[in-house]
Amino acid sequence: ALHGGGIKVESRVGEGAVFQVELPYKIYEGELPAKGIGVSTAKTITPVSLKGMNVLLAEDNHMSVLFMKQLLAKWDIVPVVAHDGEEAISLYDSGEQFDIILMDIHMPRVNGLEVVKYIRNREKETGVRIFIIALTASVSDKLIANLEDFGFDDYLGKPFRPNDLQLKLEKGLKKNVLH
């Protein structure tokens, strides 16, 4: 109603339901501007292989996990998945060497900020720094501006263009090679 639209539902027992959502938006015909440095305006997924990149995906939303697995597969990446922050810490502590961590901020039990703080403290002992990208849909501008202070190396807001993720994965891989 706040957008001037509406939702209708028709349902018949044993036949199913039809949902209709109407939002009276104007269709934008132009090109969308880039959201910032290091983002792509490409609409198709760039066919490149990042095979061998070991990615930890910390994400509690099962639909997001499925989407990310399918997307990362386009670049020959099979991520290790942590469904909450506690599991992310456990996987990190397992000794497996991750090139990049894609970290949701809002997760149950232990949130992404706490996980990154834990990892950054442990890295002081190990001397190995992992490139960590915040992947989240709902954060304030203030939090985004301070993600580096929390220990994140980069940020990508959901929804995002697939090629934006690819650029950030490549950036992270280059930074890891330089360390």
Side-chain angles (χ1 to χ4, degrees):
L2 291 173
H3 292 273
I7 300 174
K8 296 178 185 176
V9 178
E10 289 182 27
S11 180
R12 291 189 181 84
V13 176
E15 291 182 29
V18 175
F19 296 84
Q20 181 180 354
V21 178
E22 183 180 318
L23 293 171
Y25 294 134
K26 294 178 184 173
I27 296 175
Y28 181 72
E29 299 294 335
E31 200 49 42
L32 292 174
K35 290 183 180 178
I37 297 171
V39 295
S40 166
T41 57
K43 294 181 181 176
T44 58
I45 297 171
T46 304
V48 65
S49 178
L50 299 173
K51 189 173 188 163
M53 181 183 283
N54 198 7
V55 174
L56 173 59
L57 171 63
E59 172 65 65
D60 64 312
N61 181 295
H62 293 292
M63 290 305 293
S64 291
V65 169
L66 288 173
F67 167 76
M68 290 299 293
K69 280 182 169 181
Q70 289 177 346
L71 178 58
L72 293 168
K74 303 278 186 194
W75 302 305
D76 301 318
I77 298 172
V78 179
V80 175
V81 179
H83 297 283
D84 60 47
E86 220 171 76
E87 192 176 350
I89 288 172
S90 178
L91 286 165
Y92 172 80
D93 281 341
S94 74
E96 186 167 352
Q97 297 297 311
F98 295 103
D99 299 306
I100 294 188
I101 299 175
L102 301 174
M103 181 72 63
D104 187 13
I105 292 178
H106 301 292
M107 290 187 293
R109 300 200 295 187
V110 179
N111 70 41
L113 299 175
E114 294 167 314
V115 174
V116 172
K117 181 179 179 182
Y118 175 84
I119 289 171
R120 294 304 186 216
N121 282 331
R122 291 276 291 128
E123 286 174 342
K124 291 173 187 172
E125 299 168 24
T126 66
V128 178
R129 184 175 171 90
I130 299 173
F131 196 81
I132 303 176
I133 301 171
L135 272 184
T136 190
S138 57
V139 292
S140 68
D141 290 339
K142 182 179 178 185
L143 180 61
I144 291 169
N146 293 310
L147 282 174
E148 192 173 305
D149 295 336
F150 288 107
F152 289 93
D153 295 294
D154 212 331
Y155 163 78
L156 195 55
K158 297 177 192 173
F160 56 84
R161 293 182 183 105
N163 287 343
D164 293 345
L165 176 59
Q166 178 198 336
L167 289 171
K168 292 186 185 283
L169 290 171
E170 289 172 343
K171 174 183 169 186
L173 194 57
K174 286 177 189 170
K175 287 221 175 187
N176 282 346
V177 169
L178 295 175
H179 276 91

mmCIF file of all heavy atoms in Angstrom, residues 112-134:
data_model
loop_
_atom_site.group_PDB
_atom_site.id
_atom_site.type_symbol
_atom_site.label_atom_id
_atom_site.label_comp_id
_atom_site.label_asym_id
_atom_site.label_seq_id
_atom_site.Cartn_x
_atom_site.Cartn_y
_atom_site.Cartn_z
ATOM 1 N N GLY A 112 28.596 -12.027 12.166
ATOM 2 C CA GLY A 112 29.767 -11.882 11.312
ATOM 3 C C GLY A 112 30.830 -10.951 11.851
ATOM 4 O O GLY A 112 32.031 -11.185 11.657
ATOM 5 N N LEU A 113 30.427 -9.896 12.539
ATOM 6 C CA LEU A 113 31.400 -8.966 13.120
ATOM 7 C C LEU A 113 32.257 -9.670 14.167
ATOM 8 O O LEU A 113 33.476 -9.468 14.231
ATOM 9 C CB LEU A 113 30.689 -7.762 13.745
ATOM 10 C CG LEU A 113 29.852 -6.901 12.799
ATOM 11 C CD1 LEU A 113 29.118 -5.819 13.578
ATOM 12 C CD2 LEU A 113 30.699 -6.300 11.695
ATOM 13 N N GLU A 114 31.608 -10.504 14.993
ATOM 14 C CA GLU A 114 32.336 -11.239 16.027
ATOM 15 C C GLU A 114 33.268 -12.287 15.415
ATOM 16 O O GLU A 114 34.373 -12.506 15.910
ATOM 17 C CB GLU A 114 31.353 -11.904 16.991
ATOM 18 C CG GLU A 114 30.541 -10.908 17.796
ATOM 19 C CD GLU A 114 29.358 -11.540 18.512
ATOM 20 O OE1 GLU A 114 28.626 -12.335 17.888
ATOM 21 O OE2 GLU A 114 29.180 -11.226 19.703
ATOM 22 N N VAL A 115 32.814 -12.918 14.329
ATOM 23 C CA VAL A 115 33.648 -13.919 13.653
ATOM 24 C C VAL A 115 34.912 -13.263 13.098
ATOM 25 O O VAL A 115 36.020 -13.770 13.271
ATOM 26 C CB VAL A 115 32.875 -14.631 12.522
ATOM 27 C CG1 VAL A 115 33.795 -15.567 11.735
ATOM 28 C CG2 VAL A 115 31.689 -15.403 13.063
ATOM 29 N N VAL A 116 34.739 -12.116 12.438
ATOM 30 C CA VAL A 116 35.891 -11.425 11.852
ATOM 31 C C VAL A 116 36.859 -10.971 12.943
ATOM 32 O O VAL A 116 38.074 -11.108 12.796
ATOM 33 C CB VAL A 116 35.436 -10.246 10.964
ATOM 34 C CG1 VAL A 116 36.612 -9.408 10.512
ATOM 35 C CG2 VAL A 116 34.680 -10.775 9.757
ATOM 36 N N LYS A 117 36.330 -10.488 14.037
ATOM 37 C CA LYS A 117 37.184 -10.078 15.163
ATOM 38 C C LYS A 117 37.999 -11.274 15.667
ATOM 39 O O LYS A 117 39.204 -11.164 15.900
ATOM 40 C CB LYS A 117 36.323 -9.506 16.298
ATOM 41 C CG LYS A 117 37.121 -9.033 17.481
ATOM 42 C CD LYS A 117 36.213 -8.450 18.555
ATOM 43 C CE LYS A 117 37.015 -8.001 19.762
ATOM 44 N NZ LYS A 117 36.161 -7.473 20.821
ATOM 45 N N TYR A 118 37.325 -12.430 15.808
ATOM 46 C CA TYR A 118 38.011 -13.644 16.248
ATOM 47 C C TYR A 118 39.123 -14.032 15.266
ATOM 48 O O TYR A 118 40.254 -14.308 15.669
ATOM 49 C CB TYR A 118 37.000 -14.796 16.384
ATOM 50 C CG TYR A 118 37.645 -16.114 16.730
ATOM 51 C CD1 TYR A 118 37.929 -16.428 18.055
ATOM 52 C CD2 TYR A 118 37.988 -17.022 15.740
ATOM 53 C CE1 TYR A 118 38.548 -17.635 18.380
ATOM 54 C CE2 TYR A 118 38.607 -18.219 16.047
ATOM 55 C CZ TYR A 118 38.883 -18.522 17.371
ATOM 56 O OH TYR A 118 39.497 -19.707 17.692
ATOM 57 N N ILE A 119 38.786 -14.041 13.968
ATOM 58 C CA ILE A 119 39.767 -14.435 12.945
ATOM 59 C C ILE A 119 40.954 -13.483 12.938
ATOM 60 O O ILE A 119 42.111 -13.910 12.893
ATOM 61 C CB ILE A 119 39.094 -14.508 11.555
ATOM 62 C CG1 ILE A 119 38.143 -15.720 11.502
ATOM 63 C CG2 ILE A 119 40.140 -14.584 10.439
ATOM 64 C CD1 ILE A 119 37.275 -15.781 10.263
ATOM 65 N N ARG A 120 40.693 -12.185 12.988
ATOM 66 C CA ARG A 120 41.792 -11.201 12.954
ATOM 67 C C ARG A 120 42.702 -11.359 14.180
ATOM 68 O O ARG A 120 43.924 -11.218 14.063
ATOM 69 C CB ARG A 120 41.249 -9.782 12.841
ATOM 70 C CG ARG A 120 40.538 -9.489 11.519
ATOM 71 C CD ARG A 120 41.422 -9.753 10.325
ATOM 72 N NE ARG A 120 40.771 -9.327 9.076
ATOM 73 C CZ ARG A 120 40.886 -9.959 7.942
ATOM 74 N NH1 ARG A 120 41.631 -11.055 7.850
ATOM 75 N NH2 ARG A 120 40.277 -9.518 6.851
ATOM 76 N N ASN A 121 42.137 -11.679 15.333
ATOM 77 C CA ASN A 121 42.960 -11.910 16.522
ATOM 78 C C ASN A 121 43.818 -13.162 16.369
ATOM 79 O O ASN A 121 44.984 -13.175 16.745
ATOM 80 C CB ASN A 121 42.093 -12.008 17.776
ATOM 81 C CG ASN A 121 41.637 -10.644 18.254
ATOM 82 O OD1 ASN A 121 42.320 -9.641 18.052
ATOM 83 N ND2 ASN A 121 40.476 -10.584 18.865
ATOM 84 N N ARG A 122 43.250 -14.218 15.808
ATOM 85 C CA ARG A 122 43.995 -15.473 15.589
ATOM 86 C C ARG A 122 45.089 -15.284 14.539
ATOM 87 O O ARG A 122 46.148 -15.906 14.632
ATOM 88 C CB ARG A 122 43.042 -16.592 15.153
ATOM 89 C CG ARG A 122 42.106 -17.053 16.224
ATOM 90 C CD ARG A 122 42.695 -18.075 17.164
ATOM 91 N NE ARG A 122 42.890 -19.329 16.449
ATOM 92 C CZ ARG A 122 44.026 -19.997 16.416
ATOM 93 N NH1 ARG A 122 45.070 -19.582 17.073
ATOM 94 N NH2 ARG A 122 44.136 -21.117 15.738
ATOM 95 N N GLU A 123 44.830 -14.419 13.564
ATOM 96 C CA GLU A 123 45.829 -14.184 12.510
ATOM 97 C C GLU A 123 47.102 -13.548 13.073
ATOM 98 O O GLU A 123 48.179 -13.714 12.508
ATOM 99 C CB GLU A 123 45.251 -13.284 11.417
ATOM 100 C CG GLU A 123 44.253 -13.994 10.540
ATOM 101 C CD GLU A 123 43.562 -13.079 9.554
ATOM 102 O OE1 GLU A 123 43.569 -11.845 9.732
ATOM 103 O OE2 GLU A 123 42.997 -13.618 8.579
ATOM 104 N N LYS A 124 46.986 -12.851 14.201
ATOM 105 C CA LYS A 124 48.168 -12.272 14.846
ATOM 106 C C LYS A 124 49.120 -13.392 15.295
ATOM 107 O O LYS A 124 50.336 -13.218 15.300
ATOM 108 C CB LYS A 124 47.760 -11.404 16.033
ATOM 109 C CG LYS A 124 47.036 -10.139 15.617
ATOM 110 C CD LYS A 124 46.506 -9.384 16.818
ATOM 111 C CE LYS A 124 45.637 -8.220 16.370
ATOM 112 N NZ LYS A 124 44.949 -7.576 17.489
ATOM 113 N N GLU A 125 48.544 -14.549 15.632
ATOM 114 C CA GLU A 125 49.350 -15.704 16.047
ATOM 115 C C GLU A 125 49.888 -16.458 14.841
ATOM 116 O O GLU A 125 51.040 -16.893 14.837
ATOM 117 C CB GLU A 125 48.504 -16.659 16.891
ATOM 118 C CG GLU A 125 47.957 -16.072 18.171
ATOM 119 C CD GLU A 125 46.904 -16.953 18.806
ATOM 120 O OE1 GLU A 125 46.877 -18.174 18.557
ATOM 121 O OE2 GLU A 125 46.081 -16.403 19.579
ATOM 122 N N THR A 126 49.046 -16.628 13.812
ATOM 123 C CA THR A 126 49.425 -17.436 12.656
ATOM 124 C C THR A 126 50.260 -16.669 11.643
ATOM 125 O O THR A 126 51.033 -17.266 10.894
ATOM 126 C CB THR A 126 48.182 -17.988 11.939
ATOM 127 O OG1 THR A 126 47.445 -16.899 11.365
ATOM 128 C CG2 THR A 126 47.297 -18.788 12.880
ATOM 129 N N GLY A 127 50.071 -15.353 11.564
ATOM 130 C CA GLY A 127 50.784 -14.544 10.579
ATOM 131 C C GLY A 127 50.207 -14.643 9.179
ATOM 132 O O GLY A 127 50.771 -14.106 8.231
ATOM 133 N N VAL A 128 49.068 -15.330 9.020
ATOM 134 C CA VAL A 128 48.427 -15.486 7.720
ATOM 135 C C VAL A 128 47.121 -14.704 7.715
ATOM 136 O O VAL A 128 46.247 -14.947 8.548
ATOM 137 C CB VAL A 128 48.124 -16.977 7.420
ATOM 138 C CG1 VAL A 128 47.404 -17.129 6.089
ATOM 139 C CG2 VAL A 128 49.408 -17.785 7.429
ATOM 140 N N ARG A 129 47.006 -13.753 6.794
ATOM 141 C CA ARG A 129 45.799 -12.923 6.713
ATOM 142 C C ARG A 129 44.923 -13.402 5.559
ATOM 143 O O ARG A 129 45.395 -13.599 4.448
ATOM 144 C CB ARG A 129 46.153 -11.458 6.525
ATOM 145 C CG ARG A 129 44.921 -10.563 6.538
ATOM 146 C CD ARG A 129 45.317 -9.093 6.463
ATOM 147 N NE ARG A 129 44.168 -8.235 6.260
ATOM 148 C CZ ARG A 129 43.438 -7.691 7.227
ATOM 149 N NH1 ARG A 129 43.737 -7.929 8.478
ATOM 150 N NH2 ARG A 129 42.416 -6.917 6.954
ATOM 151 N N ILE A 130 43.627 -13.558 5.855
ATOM 152 C CA ILE A 130 42.640 -13.979 4.855
ATOM 153 C C ILE A 130 41.839 -12.762 4.422
ATOM 154 O O ILE A 130 41.443 -11.944 5.249
ATOM 155 C CB ILE A 130 41.690 -15.052 5.442
ATOM 156 C CG1 ILE A 130 42.481 -16.288 5.855
ATOM 157 C CG2 ILE A 130 40.615 -15.422 4.426
ATOM 158 C CD1 ILE A 130 41.652 -17.311 6.589
ATOM 159 N N PHE A 131 41.584 -12.653 3.144
ATOM 160 C CA PHE A 131 40.767 -11.575 2.587
ATOM 161 C C PHE A 131 39.305 -11.875 2.921
ATOM 162 O O PHE A 131 38.791 -12.932 2.565
ATOM 163 C CB PHE A 131 40.966 -11.504 1.073
ATOM 164 C CG PHE A 131 40.493 -10.235 0.449
ATOM 165 C CD1 PHE A 131 41.274 -9.092 0.477
ATOM 166 C CD2 PHE A 131 39.260 -10.175 -0.183
ATOM 167 C CE1 PHE A 131 40.853 -7.914 -0.115
ATOM 168 C CE2 PHE A 131 38.823 -9.000 -0.783
ATOM 169 C CZ PHE A 131 39.622 -7.861 -0.750
ATOM 170 N N ILE A 132 38.643 -10.955 3.631
ATOM 171 C CA ILE A 132 37.257 -11.179 4.063
ATOM 172 C C ILE A 132 36.359 -10.115 3.450
ATOM 173 O O ILE A 132 36.591 -8.918 3.622
ATOM 174 C CB ILE A 132 37.121 -11.162 5.597
ATOM 175 C CG1 ILE A 132 38.046 -12.218 6.229
ATOM 176 C CG2 ILE A 132 35.663 -11.400 6.006
ATOM 177 C CD1 ILE A 132 38.055 -12.218 7.749
ATOM 178 N N ILE A 133 35.320 -10.585 2.758
ATOM 179 C CA ILE A 133 34.346 -9.710 2.114
ATOM 180 C C ILE A 133 33.026 -9.806 2.862
ATOM 181 O O ILE A 133 32.494 -10.902 3.055
ATOM 182 C CB ILE A 133 34.116 -10.113 0.640
ATOM 183 C CG1 ILE A 133 35.429 -10.045 -0.146
ATOM 184 C CG2 ILE A 133 33.054 -9.219 -0.009
ATOM 185 C CD1 ILE A 133 35.332 -10.629 -1.555
ATOM 186 N N ALA A 134 32.511 -8.666 3.299
ATOM 187 C CA ALA A 134 31.187 -8.625 3.926
ATOM 188 C C ALA A 134 30.142 -8.717 2.822
ATOM 189 O O ALA A 134 30.162 -7.943 1.876
ATOM 190 C CB ALA A 134 31.008 -7.326 4.710
#
